[in-house]
């Protein structure tokens, strides 16, 4: 299968033209499988981001969030698509496009995510930027309550 | 937030947010806002207030705003009950 055909196949699967159960595995060369999987992940994430960006609810939520940010946080959000919040104990990055928060640590010039926090509304189906705004407010107002209530997923372990 | 005597409470919801606005001097608006806030309290919403100007805000968890009270420039946000997922 040519690279172009592989990309077309990925696009059709991600857009729902071909069900995942109907993927013609036989026509994909074994050497192309990892590329196929990579493209599937990449295209799915890209499509999700585009859908959220286009959603009026997400845009309204982002407007509200930006109203609470400092100019520097707004610039970081524009450039890197996250908001950094520094509390006395920790440094966090909040991702309005995903509605998640990561605790990060800095080592020399690099920054590593160590814990990912999930804390969302079970009923209201808030857009991701609203979930991020809720994280932002909780971290500023009561970091302890946020850490107590959110589900923490360890992503990396550091030895000092 | 109070802008020229009007206060607003932003309620996070599936449409991004809903802004409830009222004028402290307008009895009908204050009553409607009180009813909306009572309903949010009953549903377990958490209330936050941001004091100051954009860029230099102090954010704290606060009791539900009282529409009748006149106060400093504040911005109120209500968030629905959340849980670790």
């Amino acid at each position: 299968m040519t690279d172009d055909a592989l990309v077309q196949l990925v696009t059709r699967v991600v857009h729902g033209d071909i069900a995942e159960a109907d993927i013609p595995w036989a026509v994909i060369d074994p050497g192309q499988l990892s590329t196929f999987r990579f493209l599937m992940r990449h295209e799915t994430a890209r499509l999700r981001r585009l859908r959220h960006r286009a959603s009026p609810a997400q845009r309204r939520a982002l407007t509200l969030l930006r109203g609470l940010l400092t100019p520097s946080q707004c610039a970081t959000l524009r450039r890197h698509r996250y908001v950094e919040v520094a509390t006395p104990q920790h440094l966090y990055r909040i991702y309005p496009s995903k509605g998640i928060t990561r605790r990060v640590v800095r080592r020399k010039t690099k920054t590593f995510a160590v814990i990912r926090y999930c804390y969302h509304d079970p009923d209201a189906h808030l857009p991701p930027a609203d979930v991020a705004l809720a994280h932002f407010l909780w971290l500023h107002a009561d970091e302890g309550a946020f850490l107590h209530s959110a589900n923490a997923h360890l992503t990396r372990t550091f030895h000092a | 937030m109070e802008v020229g005597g009007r206060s607003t409470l932003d309620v996070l919801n599936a449409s991004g947010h809903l802004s409830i606005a009222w004028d402290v001097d307008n009895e009908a608006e204050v009553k409607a806002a009180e009813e909306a806030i009572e309903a949010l309290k009953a549903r377990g919403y958490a209330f936050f207030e941001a004091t100051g100007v954009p860029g230099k805000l102090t954010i704290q968890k606060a009791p539900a705003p009282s529409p009748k009270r006149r106060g400093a420039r504040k911005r109120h946000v209500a968030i629905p009950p959340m849980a670790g997922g």
Side-chain angles (χ1 to χ4, degrees), chain A residues 57 60 64 67-70 118-122 124-127 130 133-134 136-138 141 149 151 153, chain B residues 10 12-18 46 48 50 54-55 57 59-61 75 77 79-85:
Chain A
R60 278 172 57 77
L64 184 60
L68 294 170
L69 301 180
T70 64
C118 286
Y119 191 45
H120 57 87
D121 61 316
H125 307 299
L126 298 179
D130 264 352
L133 171 58
F136 179 85
L137 293 170
W138 275 111
S149 307
N151 252 6
H153 305 273
Chain B
D10 295 311
L12 303 195
N13 64 12
S15 72
H17 64 274
L18 166 75
F48 293 83
L57 292 172
I59 296 166
Q60 53 191 358
K61 196 165 181 309
R75 178 171 206 155
V77 183
I79 37 185
M82 296 178 77

